[in-house]
Amino acid sequence: DGCVYFYGTSASLGWSSGTAFRTYPPLIFGPGIVSLQLTETEDRVELIVVASDGSFGVYTIIPETRLQYKGSVMQPMTHMVLSSNREIPLPRLARIQITESGRLLMILTLDAASSRSDDGRAHMSRGSSSSPSVGPGGSLQAFVYDIPMEAWLRVSDSRFLLSDFYSTMASKGSPTGKRVLAKLDHAVRSGSGASSIKPSRRGRVANDAASSIYSHAELGTVLVSRAHCEDRMACAIALGSVSEFKHWLLMYVRTLARAVNETQLRMLVDLLLGGKSTVQGPTFWWMSAAPTILNLDKRNLLKSVVIPEMSKNRSLQRLTNELSLEVEQMMES
């Protein structure tokens, strides 16, 4: 009936006392509740409530009862249906939780097993025993809620199947640490249905020897790989994952160097050297004059990541020497 009841128990014995009492008036959330998640830490208890109309709220229960923020899960659900280009039901809520970094994470799953005919009846796909296509994003997609924007960010899906760095297996080159993105990608890719994009059969360059990755560069795959790296860097910044931003920056430079894209490499160096804008914060790091991004020194990133990777391609030797000299002069000044 849309109500949530709270009960307490013995302060000394806890729930082992075998008894409880009602501690708060029934909270009325309106429509029927489809999901309740309780997150407990040493000094804080948080509650996530998702109602049948798609609305959600994140509440603090302890130390005091109050609303943190609220919104709706309908936007990403509708987005998944629209991107599938098929008449299919809304996706199901597979998981919603507060992450270790305090962000609201949601994973949605799209039922690809059936679609609807003109008479409204559900029917199974024919002619294939494999999962039918559910659009470019796949059947499982992950979203993180941006509180200031009051909007969902899509942080993991199957749109980059053609990328050299996309794999359904855990990558040996994945960064160490918390690996927030890597965990999301692994969960989404391993449980996702077929995407309408067909994966490349070429070997992945993420784990190839550096000496062999510059031998050829197919334009289409390079463009997708570049977009994939840019997307992962943006998501790493949004999630505050330092190690993964550094990892995907390396993959980005590797892709640009492999394609001998001097224009894009020059722009990347210019961005890391810092602009003249007064914009602050990691979200618009390419405009910010701040010397760091996610507490990583931009010039050190140039010296330890960008220039060493560029130097592996002899075609970029002149540009590498030029940029290396420029960075050294700036660091000495």
Side-chain angles (χ1 to χ4, degrees), residues 73-84:
V73 300
M74 293 305 297
Q75 295 93 335
M77 285 186 169
T78 305
H79 156 71
M80 287 182 65
V81 173
L82 292 175
S83 63
S84 70

Side-chain angles (χ1 to χ4, degrees), residues 215-246:
S215 58
H216 60 282
E218 296 177 14
L219 179 60
T221 304
V222 168
L223 292 176
V224 175
S225 299
R226 192 178 98 185
H228 186 199
C229 293
E230 291 173 355
D231 177 81
R232 296 294 84 192
M233 284 192 292
C235 290
I237 292 173
L239 294 173
S241 181
V242 178
S243 61
E244 288 178 303
F245 172 77
K246 191 173 181 180

Side-chain angles (χ1 to χ4, degrees), residues 232-264:
R232 296 294 84 192
M233 284 192 292
C235 290
I237 292 173
L239 294 173
S241 181
V242 178
S243 61
E244 288 178 303
F245 172 77
K246 191 173 181 180
H247 169 76
W248 285 106
L249 175 63
L250 173 63
M251 296 300 103
Y252 186 56
V253 177
R254 180 170 297 181
T255 301
L256 297 179
R258 174 172 166 253
V260 197
N261 193 333
E262 293 191 13
T263 302
Q264 203 74 18

Side-chain angles (χ1 to χ4, degrees), residues 22-70:
R22 188 174 296 186
T23 59
Y24 205 81
L27 286 173
I28 312 299
F29 292 101
I33 296 172
V34 297
S35 177
L36 278 176
Q37 295 289 335
L38 205 63
T39 303
E40 186 174 0
T41 60
E42 292 183 0
D43 58 349
R44 193 181 187 90
V45 176
E46 295 176 320
L47 176 69
I48 307 172
V49 181
V50 182
S52 58
D53 65 350
S55 62
F56 76 85
V58 178
Y59 303 86
T60 298
I61 305 302
I62 295 175
E64 61 178 350
T65 53
R66 67 179 181 87
L67 171 69
Q68 291 189 36
Y69 54 92
K70 60 182 178 180

